Coordinates of all heavy atoms in Angstrom, one line a residue:
M22 N 1.2 29.6 14.8 CA 0.2 30.5 14.2 C -0.9 29.7 13.5 O -2.0 29.9 13.7 CB 0.8 31.6 13.4 CG -0.1 32.5 12.7 SD -0.6 33.6 14.1 CE -1.6 34.7 13.0
G23 N -0.4 28.7 12.7 CA -1.3 27.9 11.8 C -2.3 27.1 12.7 O -3.4 27.0 12.4
Y24 N -1.7 26.6 13.8 CA -2.6 25.8 14.6 C -3.8 26.7 15.2 O -4.9 26.2 15.3 CB -1.7 25.3 15.7 CG -2.5 24.4 16.8 CD1 -3.0 23.1 16.5 CD2 -2.8 25.1 18.0 CE1 -3.7 22.5 17.4 CE2 -3.5 24.3 19.0 CZ -3.9 23.0 18.7 OH -4.7 22.3 19.6
L25 N -3.4 27.8 15.7 CA -4.5 28.8 16.2 C -5.5 29.1 15.2 O -6.7 29.2 15.5 CB -3.9 29.9 16.8 CG -2.9 29.7 18.1 CD1 -2.3 31.0 18.6 CD2 -3.9 29.1 19.2
K26 N -5.1 29.4 14.0 CA -5.9 29.7 12.9 C -6.9 28.5 12.7 O -8.2 28.8 12.5 CB -5.1 29.9 11.6 CG -6.0 30.2 10.4 CD -5.2 30.5 9.1 CE -6.2 30.7 8.0 NZ -5.5 30.5 6.7
C27 N -6.4 27.3 12.7 CA -7.3 26.1 12.4 C -8.3 26.0 13.6 O -9.5 25.5 13.3 CB -6.5 24.8 12.4 SG -5.5 24.7 10.8
L28 N -7.9 26.3 14.7 CA -8.9 26.3 15.9 C -10.1 27.3 15.7 O -11.1 27.1 16.2 CB -8.2 26.5 17.2 CG -7.3 25.4 17.6 CD1 -6.6 25.8 18.9 CD2 -8.0 24.0 17.9
I29 N -9.6 28.4 15.2 CA -10.6 29.5 15.2 C -11.5 29.6 13.9 O -12.5 29.8 13.8 CB -9.9 30.9 15.3 CG1 -9.3 31.0 16.7 CG2 -10.9 31.9 15.2 CD1 -8.3 32.1 16.9
T30 N -10.8 29.3 12.7 CA -11.3 29.4 11.4 C -12.0 28.0 11.0 O -11.2 27.1 11.0 CB -10.3 29.8 10.3 OG1 -9.8 31.1 10.8 CG2 -11.0 30.1 8.9
P31 N -13.1 28.0 10.5 CA -13.7 26.6 10.0 C -12.9 26.3 8.7 O -12.6 27.0 8.0 CB -15.3 27.0 9.9 CG -15.4 28.3 9.7 CD -14.2 29.0 10.6
Y32 N -13.0 25.0 8.5 CA -12.4 24.5 7.3 C -13.2 24.8 6.1 O -14.5 24.8 6.3 CB -12.2 23.0 7.2 CG -11.2 22.5 8.3 CD1 -11.5 21.6 9.4 CD2 -9.8 22.8 8.2 CE1 -10.6 21.2 10.3 CE2 -8.9 22.4 9.2 CZ -9.2 21.6 10.1 OH -8.2 21.2 11.0
T33 N -12.7 25.0 5.0 CA -13.4 25.3 3.7 C -13.9 23.8 3.3 O -13.4 22.8 3.7 CB -12.5 25.9 2.6 OG1 -11.5 25.0 2.3 CG2 -12.0 27.2 3.0
S34 N -14.9 23.9 2.3 CA -15.4 22.5 1.8 C -14.3 21.7 1.0 O -14.2 20.6 1.2 CB -16.6 22.8 0.9 OG -16.2 23.6 -0.3
R35 N -13.4 22.6 0.5 CA -12.2 21.9 -0.2 C -11.4 21.2 0.9 O -10.8 20.0 0.7 CB -11.4 22.8 -1.1 CG -10.2 22.1 -1.9 CD -9.7 23.0 -2.9 NE -8.6 22.3 -3.4 CZ -7.9 22.7 -4.4 NH1 -8.3 23.9 -5.0 NH2 -6.8 22.1 -5.0
E36 N -11.0 21.9 1.9 CA -10.2 21.3 3.0 C -10.9 20.1 3.7 O -10.2 19.1 4.0 CB -9.9 22.3 4.0 CG -8.9 23.4 3.5 CD -8.9 24.7 4.5 OE1 -9.8 24.9 5.3 OE2 -7.8 25.3 4.5
V37 N -12.2 20.2 3.9 CA -12.9 19.0 4.4 C -12.8 17.8 3.4 O -12.6 16.7 3.9 CB -14.4 19.4 4.7 CG1 -15.3 18.2 5.0 CG2 -14.5 20.4 5.7
Q38 N -13.0 18.1 2.2 CA -12.9 17.0 1.2 C -11.5 16.4 1.2 O -11.2 15.2 1.1 CB -13.3 17.4 -0.3 CG -14.6 17.8 -0.4 CD -15.0 18.4 -1.8 OE1 -14.0 18.8 -2.5 NE2 -16.3 18.6 -2.0
A39 N -10.5 17.2 1.2 CA -9.0 16.7 1.3 C -8.8 15.9 2.5 O -8.1 14.9 2.4 CB -8.0 18.0 1.1
L40 N -9.3 16.4 3.6 CA -9.1 15.7 4.9 C -9.8 14.2 4.8 O -9.3 13.3 5.3 CB -9.6 16.4 6.0 CG -8.8 17.7 6.5 CD1 -9.5 18.5 7.6 CD2 -7.4 17.1 7.1
A41 N -11.1 14.2 4.3 CA -11.7 13.0 4.1 C -11.0 11.9 3.2 O -10.9 10.9 3.4 CB -13.2 13.2 3.6
A42 N -10.4 12.5 2.0 CA -9.6 11.7 1.1 C -8.4 11.1 1.8 O -8.0 10.0 1.7 CB -9.2 12.5 -0.1
S43 N -7.7 12.0 2.7 CA -6.6 11.5 3.4 C -7.0 10.4 4.5 O -6.3 9.5 4.6 CB -5.9 12.7 4.2 OG -5.3 13.7 3.3
K44 N -8.1 10.5 5.0 CA -8.5 9.6 6.1 C -8.8 8.2 5.3 O -8.4 7.2 5.9 CB -9.7 10.1 6.8 CG -10.3 9.3 7.7 CD -11.5 9.7 8.5 CE -11.9 8.6 9.6 NZ -13.4 8.7 9.7
R45 N -9.4 8.4 4.2 CA -9.7 7.1 3.5 C -8.5 6.5 3.0 O -8.3 5.3 3.2 CB -10.5 7.5 2.2 CG -12.0 7.3 2.3 CD -12.8 7.3 0.9 NE -12.2 8.4 0.0 CZ -12.7 9.6 0.0 NH1 -13.6 10.1 0.9 NH2 -12.2 10.6 -0.9
F46 N -7.5 7.2 2.6 CA -6.2 6.6 2.1 C -5.6 5.9 3.3 O -5.1 4.9 3.3 CB -5.2 7.7 1.7 CG -3.9 7.1 1.2 CD1 -3.8 6.4 0.1 CD2 -2.9 7.4 2.1 CE1 -2.3 5.8 -0.2 CE2 -1.6 6.9 1.8 CZ -1.5 6.1 0.7
F47 N -5.6 6.5 4.5 CA -4.9 6.0 5.5 C -5.7 4.8 6.1 O -5.0 3.9 6.8 CB -4.6 6.9 6.8 CG -3.4 8.0 6.5 CD1 -3.7 9.2 6.1 CD2 -2.2 7.5 6.6 CE1 -2.6 10.0 5.9 CE2 -1.1 8.3 6.4 CZ -1.3 9.7 5.9
E48 N -6.9 4.8 5.9 CA -7.7 3.5 6.3 C -7.6 2.3 5.5 O -7.6 1.2 5.8 CB -9.1 4.0 6.6 CG -9.4 4.9 7.7 CD -10.9 5.4 8.0 OE1 -11.5 5.2 7.0 OE2 -11.0 5.9 9.0
T49 N -7.4 2.7 4.1 CA -7.6 1.6 3.1 C -6.4 1.5 2.2 O -6.2 0.4 1.5 CB -8.9 1.7 2.2 OG1 -8.8 3.0 1.5 CG2 -10.2 1.8 3.1
G50 N -5.6 2.5 2.1 CA -4.5 2.5 1.1 C -3.1 2.2 1.6 O -2.2 2.3 0.9
M51 N -3.0 2.0 3.0 CA -1.6 1.9 3.5 C -1.2 0.3 3.7 O 0.0 0.2 4.1 CB -1.7 2.5 4.9 CG -1.8 4.1 4.9 SD -0.4 4.9 4.2 CE 0.9 4.7 5.5
G52 N -2.0 -0.5 3.2 CA -1.7 -1.8 3.4 C -0.4 -2.3 2.5 O 0.4 -2.9 3.1
Y53 N -0.2 -1.8 1.4 CA 1.0 -2.1 0.7 C 2.2 -1.4 1.4 O 3.3 -2.1 1.4 CB 0.9 -1.6 -0.7 CG -0.1 -2.3 -1.6 CD1 -1.3 -1.6 -2.0 CD2 -0.1 -3.6 -1.8 CE1 -2.2 -2.4 -2.9 CE2 -1.0 -4.3 -2.5 CZ -2.1 -3.7 -3.0 OH -3.0 -4.4 -3.6
Y54 N 2.1 -0.3 1.8 CA 3.2 0.3 2.6 C 3.5 -0.5 3.7 O 4.8 -0.8 4.0 CB 2.8 1.7 3.0 CG 3.8 2.3 4.0 CD1 5.0 2.9 3.5 CD2 3.6 2.2 5.4 CE1 6.0 3.3 4.4 CE2 4.7 2.8 6.3 CZ 5.8 3.3 5.7 OH 6.8 3.8 6.5
A55 N 2.6 -1.0 4.6 CA 2.9 -1.8 5.8 C 3.5 -3.2 5.3 O 4.5 -3.5 5.8 CB 1.7 -2.2 6.5
E56 N 3.1 -3.7 4.1 CA 3.7 -5.0 3.6 C 5.2 -4.8 3.3 O 6.0 -5.5 3.5 CB 2.9 -5.5 2.6 CG 3.4 -6.7 1.9 CD 3.3 -8.1 2.9 OE1 2.4 -8.1 3.7 OE2 4.0 -9.0 2.6
Q57 N 5.3 -3.6 2.4 CA 6.6 -3.5 1.8 C 7.6 -3.1 2.8 O 8.8 -3.2 2.7 CB 6.5 -2.4 0.7 CG 5.8 -3.0 -0.4 CD 5.5 -2.0 -1.4 OE1 5.8 -0.8 -1.4 NE2 4.8 -2.3 -2.6
S58 N 7.1 -2.5 3.9 CA 8.1 -1.9 4.9 C 8.5 -3.0 6.1 O 9.4 -3.0 6.7 CB 7.5 -0.6 5.7 OG 6.5 -1.1 6.3
T59 N 7.6 -4.1 6.1 CA 7.9 -5.2 7.1 C 8.4 -6.4 6.5 O 9.1 -7.3 7.0 CB 6.7 -5.4 8.1 OG1 5.5 -5.8 7.2 CG2 6.3 -4.1 8.8
R60 N 7.7 -6.9 5.3 CA 7.9 -8.1 4.8 C 8.0 -8.0 3.2 O 7.2 -8.4 2.4 CB 6.8 -9.1 5.0 CG 6.5 -9.3 6.4 CD 7.3 -10.5 6.9 NE 6.9 -10.8 8.2 CZ 7.8 -10.9 9.1 NH1 9.0 -10.6 9.1 NH2 7.2 -11.3 10.4
P61 N 9.0 -7.2 2.7 CA 9.1 -6.9 1.2 C 9.4 -8.1 0.3 O 8.9 -8.3 -0.7 CB 10.2 -5.9 1.2 CG 11.2 -6.1 2.4 CD 10.3 -6.5 3.5
Q62 N 10.0 -9.0 1.0 CA 10.3 -10.2 0.1 C 9.0 -11.1 -0.2 O 9.0 -11.7 -1.4 CB 11.4 -11.2 0.9 CG 12.0 -12.0 -0.1 CD 12.9 -11.3 -1.0 OE1 13.4 -10.3 -0.9 NE2 13.0 -11.9 -2.2
T63 N 8.0 -11.0 0.7 CA 6.9 -11.8 0.4 C 6.2 -11.3 -0.9 O 5.8 -12.1 -1.7 CB 5.9 -11.7 1.6 OG1 6.5 -12.1 2.8 CG2 4.7 -12.4 1.4
L64 N 6.2 -10.0 -0.9 CA 5.5 -9.3 -2.2 C 6.5 -9.5 -3.4 O 5.9 -9.8 -4.5 CB 5.3 -8.0 -1.8 CG 4.4 -7.1 -2.9 CD1 3.2 -7.8 -3.2 CD2 4.3 -5.8 -2.5
A65 N 7.7 -9.7 -3.1 CA 8.6 -9.8 -4.3 C 8.5 -11.0 -4.9 O 8.5 -11.3 -6.1 CB 10.0 -9.5 -3.7
Y66 N 8.3 -12.2 -4.1 CA 8.2 -13.5 -4.6 C 6.8 -13.5 -5.5 O 6.9 -14.2 -6.6 CB 8.0 -14.5 -3.6 CG 9.3 -14.8 -2.8 CD1 9.3 -14.9 -1.4 CD2 10.5 -14.9 -3.5 CE1 10.4 -15.1 -0.7 CE2 11.6 -15.1 -2.8 CZ 11.7 -15.2 -1.5 OH 12.8 -15.5 -0.7
S67 N 5.9 -13.1 -5.1 CA 4.6 -13.0 -5.9 C 4.8 -12.4 -7.3 O 4.4 -12.6 -8.3 CB 3.4 -12.4 -5.2 OG 2.3 -12.3 -6.0
L68 N 5.4 -11.0 -7.1 CA 5.5 -10.3 -8.4 C 6.6 -10.9 -9.3 O 6.4 -10.7 -10.6 CB 5.9 -8.9 -8.0 CG 4.9 -8.1 -7.3 CD1 5.4 -6.7 -6.9 CD2 3.6 -8.1 -8.0
A69 N 7.6 -11.5 -8.9 CA 8.6 -12.0 -9.7 C 8.4 -13.4 -10.3 O 8.7 -13.7 -11.4 CB 9.9 -12.0 -8.9
D70 N 7.8 -14.3 -9.4 CA 7.5 -15.6 -9.9 C 6.1 -16.0 -10.6 O 6.0 -17.0 -11.0 CB 7.8 -16.6 -8.7 CG 9.1 -16.7 -8.2 OD1 10.1 -16.1 -9.0 OD2 9.4 -16.9 -7.0
S71 N 5.2 -15.0 -10.3 CA 3.9 -15.3 -10.8 C 3.4 -14.3 -11.9 O 3.1 -13.0 -11.5 CB 2.8 -15.3 -9.6 OG 1.6 -15.4 -10.1
P72 N 3.3 -14.7 -13.2 CA 2.6 -13.6 -14.1 C 1.3 -13.2 -13.6 O 0.9 -12.0 -13.8 CB 2.6 -14.4 -15.4 CG 3.6 -15.4 -15.3 CD 3.5 -15.9 -13.8
V73 N 0.6 -14.0 -13.0 CA -0.7 -13.7 -12.7 C -0.7 -12.8 -11.4 O -1.5 -11.8 -11.3 CB -1.7 -15.0 -12.2 CG1 -3.0 -14.6 -11.7 CG2 -1.8 -15.8 -13.4
G74 N 0.3 -12.9 -10.6 CA 0.5 -12.0 -9.4 C 0.8 -10.6 -9.9 O 0.3 -9.6 -9.3
L75 N 1.7 -10.6 -10.9 CA 2.2 -9.3 -11.4 C 1.0 -8.7 -12.2 O 0.7 -7.4 -12.0 CB 3.2 -9.4 -12.5 CG 3.8 -8.2 -13.0 CD1 4.3 -7.2 -12.1 CD2 5.0 -8.5 -14.0
L76 N 0.2 -9.3 -12.9 CA -1.0 -8.8 -13.5 C -2.0 -8.3 -12.5 O -2.6 -7.2 -12.7 CB -1.6 -9.9 -14.6 CG -2.9 -9.5 -15.2 CD1 -2.7 -8.2 -16.2 CD2 -3.7 -10.7 -15.9
A77 N -2.2 -9.0 -11.6 CA -3.2 -8.6 -10.6 C -2.8 -7.3 -9.8 O -3.5 -6.3 -9.5 CB -3.3 -9.6 -9.5
W78 N -1.4 -7.2 -9.6 CA -0.8 -6.0 -9.0 C -1.0 -4.8 -9.9 O -1.5 -3.7 -9.5 CB 0.5 -6.2 -8.7 CG 1.4 -5.0 -8.2 CD1 1.9 -4.0 -9.0 CD2 1.6 -4.5 -6.8 NE1 2.5 -3.2 -8.2 CE2 2.4 -3.4 -6.9 CE3 1.1 -5.2 -5.7 CZ2 2.8 -2.8 -5.7 CZ3 1.5 -4.5 -4.5 CH2 2.3 -3.3 -4.6
V79 N -0.6 -5.0 -11.2 CA -0.8 -3.9 -12.1 C -2.2 -3.4 -12.4 O -2.6 -2.3 -12.4 CB -0.1 -4.3 -13.5 CG1 -0.5 -3.2 -14.5 CG2 1.4 -4.3 -13.2
Y80 N -3.1 -4.4 -12.4 CA -4.5 -4.1 -12.8 C -5.1 -3.4 -11.6 O -5.8 -2.4 -11.8 CB -5.3 -5.5 -12.9 CG -6.8 -5.2 -13.0 CD1 -7.4 -4.8 -14.2 CD2 -7.7 -5.5 -12.0 CE1 -8.7 -4.6 -14.4 CE2 -9.0 -5.3 -12.0 CZ -9.5 -5.0 -13.3 OH -10.8 -4.7 -13.4
E81 N -4.8 -3.9 -10.4 CA -5.4 -3.3 -9.1 C -4.9 -1.7 -9.1 O -5.7 -0.8 -8.7 CB -4.8 -3.9 -8.0 CG -5.7 -3.4 -6.6 CD -4.9 -2.4 -6.0 OE1 -3.6 -2.2 -6.1 OE2 -5.5 -1.6 -5.1
K82 N -3.5 -1.4 -9.4 CA -3.1 -0.1 -9.4 C -3.7 0.8 -10.5 O -4.2 1.9 -10.2 CB -1.6 -0.1 -9.6 CG -0.8 -0.7 -8.5 CD -1.1 -0.1 -7.2 CE -0.7 -0.8 -6.0 NZ -1.4 -0.7 -4.9
L83 N -4.0 0.4 -11.6 CA -4.5 1.1 -12.8 C -5.9 1.4 -12.4 O -6.4 2.5 -12.6 CB -4.4 0.1 -14.0 CG -3.1 0.1 -14.7 CD1 -3.2 -0.7 -15.9 CD2 -2.7 1.6 -15.4
V84 N -6.7 0.3 -11.9 CA -8.3 0.7 -11.5 C -8.3 1.7 -10.4 O -9.0 2.6 -10.4 CB -8.8 -0.6 -11.3 CG1 -10.2 -0.4 -10.7 CG2 -8.9 -1.5 -12.5
S85 N -7.5 1.4 -9.3 CA -7.6 2.2 -8.1 C -7.0 3.7 -8.2 O -7.4 4.7 -7.6 CB -7.0 1.6 -6.8 OG -5.7 1.3 -7.0
W86 N -5.9 3.8 -9.0 CA -5.2 5.1 -9.2 C -5.7 6.0 -10.3 O -5.2 7.1 -10.5 CB -3.6 4.8 -9.3 CG -3.0 4.4 -8.0 CD1 -3.6 4.3 -6.8 CD2 -1.8 4.0 -7.9 NE1 -2.7 3.7 -5.9 CE2 -1.5 3.5 -6.5 CE3 -0.7 3.9 -8.8 CZ2 -0.3 3.0 -6.1 CZ3 0.5 3.4 -8.3 CH2 0.7 3.0 -7.0
T87 N -6.7 5.5 -11.2 CA -7.1 6.4 -12.2 C -8.4 6.8 -12.2 O -9.0 7.1 -13.3 CB -6.8 5.5 -13.6 OG1 -7.5 4.3 -13.5 CG2 -5.3 5.3 -13.9
D88 N -9.0 7.0 -11.1 CA -10.3 7.5 -10.9 C -11.4 6.9 -11.7 O -12.0 7.8 -12.5 CB -10.3 9.0 -11.0 CG -9.3 9.8 -10.0 OD1 -9.3 9.2 -8.9 OD2 -8.8 10.9 -10.3
A89 N -11.5 5.7 -11.8 CA -12.5 5.0 -12.6 C -12.4 5.4 -14.2 O -13.5 5.5 -14.8 CB -13.9 5.2 -12.2
Y90 N -11.3 5.5 -14.6 CA -11.0 5.8 -16.1 C -11.5 4.6 -16.9 O -11.4 3.4 -16.5 CB -9.7 5.8 -16.3 CG -9.3 6.0 -17.9 CD1 -9.4 7.3 -18.5 CD2 -8.9 4.9 -18.6 CE1 -9.0 7.5 -19.8 CE2 -8.6 5.1 -19.9 CZ -8.7 6.3 -20.6 OH -8.4 6.5 -21.9
P91 N -12.5 4.8 -17.9 CA -13.3 3.8 -18.6 C -12.2 3.1 -19.5 O -12.2 3.4 -20.8 CB -14.3 4.5 -19.3 CG -13.8 5.9 -19.6 CD -12.9 6.2 -18.3
W92 N -11.4 2.1 -19.1 CA -10.4 1.4 -19.9 C -11.3 0.7 -21.1 O -12.3 0.1 -20.9 CB -9.8 0.3 -19.1 CG -8.9 0.9 -18.1 CD1 -9.3 1.2 -16.8 CD2 -7.6 1.6 -18.3 NE1 -8.2 1.8 -16.2 CE2 -7.2 2.2 -17.1 CE3 -6.8 1.8 -19.3 CZ2 -6.0 2.8 -16.8 CZ3 -5.5 2.4 -19.2 CH2 -5.2 2.8 -18.0
T93 N -10.6 0.7 -22.3 CA -11.2 -0.1 -23.5 C -10.4 -1.2 -23.7 O -9.3 -1.5 -23.2 CB -11.2 0.8 -24.7 OG1 -9.7 1.1 -25.0 CG2 -12.0 2.2 -24.4
D94 N -10.9 -2.2 -24.6 CA -10.1 -3.5 -24.9 C -8.8 -3.1 -25.5 O -7.9 -3.8 -25.4 CB -11.1 -4.4 -25.6 CG -12.2 -5.0 -24.9 OD1 -12.0 -5.0 -23.7 OD2 -13.1 -5.5 -25.5
D95 N -8.9 -2.0 -26.4 CA -7.7 -1.7 -27.1 C -6.5 -1.1 -26.2 O -5.3 -1.3 -26.4 CB -8.1 -0.6 -28.0 CG -8.8 -1.1 -29.2 OD1 -8.8 -2.3 -29.6 OD2 -9.4 -0.2 -29.9
E96 N -6.9 -0.7 -24.9 CA -6.0 -0.2 -24.0 C -5.5 -1.5 -23.1 O -4.6 -1.3 -22.3 CB -6.5 0.8 -23.0 CG -6.7 2.2 -23.9 CD -7.5 3.2 -23.0 OE1 -8.6 2.8 -22.4 OE2 -6.9 4.3 -22.9
G97 N -6.0 -2.6 -23.4 CA -5.5 -3.9 -22.8 C -6.2 -4.1 -21.4 O -5.7 -5.0 -20.7
M98 N -7.3 -3.5 -21.0 CA -7.7 -3.9 -19.8 C -8.9 -4.8 -19.8 O -9.1 -5.5 -19.0 CB -8.2 -2.5 -19.0 CG -7.0 -1.6 -18.6 SD -5.9 -2.4 -17.4 CE -7.0 -2.5 -16.1
G99 N -9.7 -4.6 -20.9 CA -10.8 -5.5 -21.1 C -11.9 -5.5 -20.0 O -12.7 -6.3 -19.7
V100 N -12.0 -4.2 -19.3 CA -12.9 -4.0 -18.2 C -14.3 -3.7 -18.8 O -14.3 -2.8 -19.6 CB -12.5 -3.0 -17.1 CG1 -13.3 -2.7 -16.1 CG2 -11.0 -3.4 -16.6

């Protein structure tokens, strides 16, 4: 029933935005999933043995997952 509804009824603007966000995620955000599901030890060495590797990982996640939150020096980001 839902499939037929999608064929007949056009998507709302919110649905179009959600589909676009999903597409962007699958195109640019699935790299870590692929790495962790195929070669998890490679990433583990970097995170466990390198403080800079761990810092880069945490920084990238904070920046990309917080919708451009304006980090201050007091919050430890220095951006």
Side-chain angles (χ1 to χ4, degrees):
M22 182 68 176
Y24 177 74
L25 291 176
K26 180 184 175 194
C27 288
L28 290 176
I29 298 169
T30 307
Y32 292 120
T33 66
S34 63
R35 184 174 175 167
E36 290 170 330
V37 170
Q38 290 173 349
L40 287 170
S43 292
K44 182 180 180 207
R45 261 191 320 276
F46 176 77
F47 282 107
E48 290 174 350
T49 62
M51 294 293 289
Y53 293 117
Y54 171 77
E56 177 71 24
Q57 291 172 0
S58 65
T59 59
R60 304 265 190 239
Q62 201 60 34
T63 302
L64 188 57
Y66 289 137
S67 174
L68 296 179
D70 293 340
S71 170
V73 175
L75 180 59
L76 178 64
W78 174 271
V79 170
Y80 175 79
E81 190 270 334
K82 295 300 167 212
L83 285 173
V84 170
S85 66
W86 290 355
T87 55
D88 297 327
Y90 177 80
W92 295 99
T93 67
D94 288 339
D95 290 337
E96 292 172 309
M98 294 299 296
V100 178

